[in-house]
Amino acid sequence: MRRAETGLRVVLSGGGSGGHLVPGLELARALLAEGHSALLLRPGRSVEQRVLEAYPGLAQHTVPLANGRLRLPLSMLRATQHARRALRDFEAQLVVALGGRGALPGALAARTMGLPLVVLEQNLVPGQANRLLARLAQRSFLAFDETREELPSRVRARAVVTGMPLRPEILRRRSPEDRARLVESLGLPEDAQRTLLIVGGSQGARALNTKLPLLLASIPAAQRRGWSFLHISGPGREEEARKAWETAGLAATVLGFSSQIGDLLSLSDLVLCRGGAMTLLELAAAGKPSVVVPYPWHRDDHQGRNAQWFAERGAARVLREEKLPSDEAAAMLAELLASEELLQTIGANAASLGRPDALREILCELGELVPETLLEPS
């Protein structure tokens, strides 16, 4: 898709977490690179700003949305009116809903204005907001074939399995010199042969911060030999994680947040993470083996369903949070730490599930939703 005489004006609606934001931001990056215009409507949570630091130059507008069921109906009405004004001022021609409650004001405003609406759904089990918006949308772009069956039957024909737009740095190859510089800048042991990366999502995970160091300490030292530990604790949770490592008697490099996830993945030989769909899709694209600890408190267990999908294909191992720490969990991790061949097999299985052309497929689909005078295929 290339810029025609007049470029497309796209609004991306949503936020609240890195998982919701990243695919939309990568779509915006591609649109801007091809001469189109993009605006992000977001609810304004602090985690959004940290993610947005990697996307300078993207126009954005905050549409606040209150928490709490009692305040939500009136807040949603006001937010939708607010979003309508933003869409008019931007002269929007298409709206992309990124998922989560924060996507609703912009998406509902689009439908009241007669604008085309599309949905990005990265999870195997769609969230409540996207289940609603799929009924209103011209297209729903999915990461998993099975997700179509989770949607209302009358909208399945409008659902397209494309995969999700990914950060390009995930796929970029690093030279040995790059790796050496990263090891030095992060303070990792220079003599470490392999690295375990622990990451709890854009906001961190207390269970991973406090329980994983103890779990690793329970594994015999001979099976941990040669491994270094790199732990992304979540903003403001660094001290929590550092105390846990100190209590466990193990050395680790702890960071609160990093926007350079591609660099961190390039260093890692095994990743221990939550089960957010974008995390798992990026690990697949990078061909990284993983142990997934799904967040256990979602009503639909969507992280558990995501993780199980990859595990059934030999592309990950699943470790439930209630097993932290336990002999069963220690045995699983010990087996992985001790076997380079097993790690390579799981990584190769993950790589086979990647969809590197997802962004291009979505851009082509968008081209079918607007007049030919606005978008022309390249």
Side-chain angles (χ1 to χ4, degrees), residues 11 142 174 270 290 311 357:
V11 170
L142 312 178
R174 274 74 174 178
L270 175 64
S290 60
D357 295 327

Side-chain angles (χ1 to χ4, degrees), residues 13 89 93 149:
S13 180
D89 291 345
Q93 296 162 321
E149 299 305 313

Side-chain angles (χ1 to χ4, degrees), residues 107-108 111 117 131-138 154-155 158:
L108 295 176
R111 296 307 294 148
L117 172 67
R131 286 180 187 271
L132 167 66
L133 295 178
R135 299 173 185 270
L136 307 177
Q138 279 71 31
R154 67 184 180 86
V155 306
R158 302 198 298 271

